Structure formats: structure tokens, C-alpha cells
Amino acid sequence: MAYAFLRGEFVPLEEANISIMTHGFLYGTAVFEGIRAYWSKDDNQLYIFRAKEHYERMANSCRIMRMARKYSVDEMVELTRKLLEMNGKKNDAYLRPVVYKSSQVVGVKLTGLEDDFLLFATDMGNYLEVSKGLKVRVTSWKHVSDNSIPMRCKVNGAYANAALIKTEALDDGYDEAIVLTDDGHVSEGSAENIFLVRNGVLVTPPETDDILPGITRDTVITLAREELGIPVEIRRIDRTELYIAEEAFFCGTGAQIAPIAEIDYRPIGDGSIGPITQKIQELYFQVVRGQVAAYKNWCTPVF
Ligand SMILES: Cc1ncc(COP(=O)(O)O)c(C=O)c1O
């Protein structure tokens, strides 16, 4: 049976319901994480990838959105492990923890309301294609920014913006879109961060360019610098740098490492997966399944 965690207890997933009057549902006043767990055949083990870092980011989201956390980071990691253990599935999983304004009341504000923590797991294959390059456009939508809905915290309400961006891309025959900052610099994808390769250097926008500070982004930076000896620059990126990059890829918990083949009808490199992207992708998929000793501390065993 599949379980969820709601109102302080594990309950069968089909019984884990909230009221239609819940504040978090009415106004998007909730913060969430997306976490993957990867099954390792070699170890006969399910590993939750960088659970601690996800919950640390969630703690920051709660501070910004003035939400009380019922559980410490370590407790949330343990609840996550326990949920997967109870579900008992020996395959890859996607986890969705949410802290939300649980009061059943109409009226927009953040204070004087109750908060709750919920968690469920679901199956998720590849969110984006990872074996061939994506066709991508720059979106016509504006990105939410730090002074409107801060991307630094993963607020549910901000994903209405992401949904507009992604849907425009799909409607127009693209796989995904890139969003610019208010002043026209590259920010991120609809639900993933972006890296370019310029003159052999990995380049990615800074946290201050309205990105979600991705855990996968941090993983890529760490692996590139520590393991692969690829230099990384964190700096502002002009739109036209997208068109002349040697390689480009999206990264995220959902997206994993997803190569980009074309942006606004300009092929990236020769249109196939570039050598640096390939190296990073291969190493990433080994690391998340607990196959690289140096990074096994990023993997929380479930069983
Ligand atoms: C808007 C946005 N940017 C970037 C990311 C990547 O973050 P992470 O690597 O922590 O999953 C996500 C979510 O996965 C996202 O929703």
C-alpha cells in the first residue's frame, strides 16, 4: 500500500485529503520540494539524493514565507526515509514534501494562520528527455522576480508562472523554454537551472538572477570542479550567448541532466550531446545511485 504523511501521521495515500477551503490551496501559500530517490541494483538499496540539502532549502523557504516548521531538517529526512520504507517499493521514486498554510479561511496574508507539513511519493520517469537534445525557445513571459514572488523560495504560487512558460513552449512545438530576468539576462528554465559551455568553461547564472538555487546545479558545480577538472564560472549571461554556446543543458531534480540541441532555431554545437554535457550526465547518474564512494554521503539509504 502507498502511504502519505499528513497532519502528523502516516495515512493511506487515498485518505490523505485536504479541505477545499485550505489557505495554501486558495492562494498558493505553500512551499515545496521535489526530491528523487534512486534504486541501486548493485546495492539492493534505494537512495534518497541530497535529502538534507532539499530540506535546508525548504527551511529557508519557510522563513521567507513566514511558515512555522513542525519538524527539524533531520526529522524531515527521517520521515522521508520512513515513508519510502513503508511504501516498500524497490524502484526509483519522486518525493513531494510541502509546508502549507493549513488554516481553512478566506483572506490573503501570511500571519496568524496554521501551517502543516505533508509528504507523498510517486513514480516519475524522465521529466525531460535526457538521451537526445531538447528543442528550446526563449519564453515571451516574464519571470517572477525577487521583489514579486521570490524564486529563492520554492513557493507553490510561483509555479503558475512556470506553467505559463512551459505551456507556451509546448504549444509552439518546443520541449522547454528559457526565461530571462527583468533586464534581459538568462535566468533558468521553467523548472530547471541552465548551464552553457563557453570556451571550455561551464557557465551558469548567479543566484541573484532570479533562479531557484538548485541542488542539482550545486551538484554539477561540485562534480565539475572536484571530479572532472572542468572550470565553472558563475556569472550573468547575455541572451545571445545562448546562441553561440558550444554546449548547453538543463539540470534539476526532475530534469536531471538534460542536453539542449537547439535554442530559438540556432543549433547548439553540432546539435548532438556535447562531450562536457555527456561526461557530467554519466557521472551524475552514477553519483545518484550511490556508485561513487566520494559522494555516497549525498545518498540516504532507505532500507
Ligand atoms: C524553477 C526551478 N529552477 C530550478 C530547479 C532545479 O532545482 P533542483 O536542482 O534543486 O531540483 C527547479 C526544480 O526542480 C525549479 O522548479
Side-chain angles (χ1 to χ4, degrees):
M1 188 196 311
Y3 289 91
F5 187 82
L6 182 70
R7 297 185 199 99
E9 58 181 356
F10 290 101
V11 291
L13 181 61
E14 67 269 16
E15 290 169 25
N17 300 316
I18 59 168
S19 160
I20 57 170
M21 281 188 68
T22 305
H23 199 274
F25 169 70
L26 294 178
Y27 301 112
T29 45
V31 299
F32 72 102
E33 283 296 321
I35 307 174
R36 276 191 193 258
Y38 288 90
W39 176 251
S40 163
K41 260 199 211 133
D42 293 355
D43 296 359
N44 197 32
Q45 182 59 272
L46 183 60
Y47 290 117
I48 314 169
F49 190 60
R50 302 197 74 177
K52 188 165 184 283
E53 289 83 352
H54 279 282
Y55 284 117
E56 282 168 354
R57 183 170 68 190
M58 193 178 219
N60 286 339
S61 297
C62 287
R63 284 174 72 100
I64 295 171
M65 293 306 286
R66 301 186 67 173
M67 289 171 170
R69 264 187 308 121
K70 288 200 172 145
Y71 306 100
S72 68
V73 166
D74 287 347
E75 285 167 338
M76 289 190 284
V77 172
E78 174 54 18
L79 287 171
T80 308
R81 192 204 62 76
K82 181 85 191 154
L83 180 90
L84 289 172
E85 188 184 53
M86 288 174 73
N87 283 353
K89 282 178 136 183
K90 299 192 163 183
N91 55 19
D92 295 352
Y94 180 82
L95 293 137
R96 173 55 53 88
V98 184
V99 176
Y100 66 106
K101 295 275 166 204
S102 57
S103 295
Q104 294 170 30
V105 59
V106 169
V108 193
K109 58 177 183 167
L110 291 177
T111 51
L113 301 168
E114 281 173 16
D115 304 306
D116 195 21
F117 170 78
L118 66 78
L119 172 68
F120 66 89
T122 184
D123 292 341
M124 194 203 276
N126 290 336
Y127 175 75
L128 292 175
E129 180 65 58
V130 293
S131 53
K132 68 177 175 52
L134 304 167
K135 188 179 169 196
V136 171
R137 65 168 287 177
V138 171
T139 186
S140 71
W141 290 97
K142 276 197 160 197
H143 202 8
V144 290
S145 68
D146 203 51
N147 284 302
S148 56
I149 306 180
M151 278 312 300
R152 180 169 283 103
C153 54
K154 213 166 154 53
V155 188
N156 289 46
Y159 283 75
N161 183 234
L164 289 166
I165 293 160
K166 177 84 183 192
T167 305
E168 179 190 58
L170 295 177
D171 283 350
D172 291 351
Y174 298 85
D175 301 305
E176 188 43 280
I178 295 165
V179 208
L180 304 180
T181 59
D182 273 353
D183 66 356
H185 290 88
V186 174
S187 180
E188 58 177 358
S190 71
E192 52 281 316
N193 294 118
I194 189 167
F195 281 83
L196 305 182
V197 177
R198 303 257 4 246
N199 304 314
V201 176
L202 269 175
V203 188
T204 197
E207 278 190 29
T208 44
D209 272 346
D210 294 327
I211 64 166
L212 179 75
I215 312 294
T216 319
R217 173 180 176 274
D218 179 73
T219 301
V220 169
I221 293 169
T222 305
L223 295 179
R225 285 181 175 155
E226 288 182 2
E227 287 296 305
L228 299 169
I230 303 166
V232 183
E233 257 179 44
I234 298 168
R235 64 158 174 85
R236 302 204 93 184
I237 298 176
D238 280 346
R239 175 177 184 158
T240 49
E241 291 191 77
L242 294 171
Y243 304 150
I244 58 169
E246 294 129 58
E247 299 180 35
F249 61 88
F250 286 123
C251 71
T253 299
Q256 306 174 107
I257 308 295
I260 299 173
E262 186 187 308
I263 304 175
D264 288 345
Y265 295 103
R266 280 86 169 174
I268 303 303
D270 66 5
S272 67
I273 303 177
I276 290 182
T277 308
Q278 183 117 37
K279 268 192 204 161
I280 289 170
Q281 193 191 60
E282 276 172 18
L283 182 59
Y284 181 78
F285 283 129
Q286 287 169 7
V287 166
V288 295
R289 288 189 203 277
Q291 291 172 331
V292 182
Y295 300 100
K296 209 148 180 177
N297 61 332
W298 279 345
C299 304
T300 305
V302 167
F303 298 108

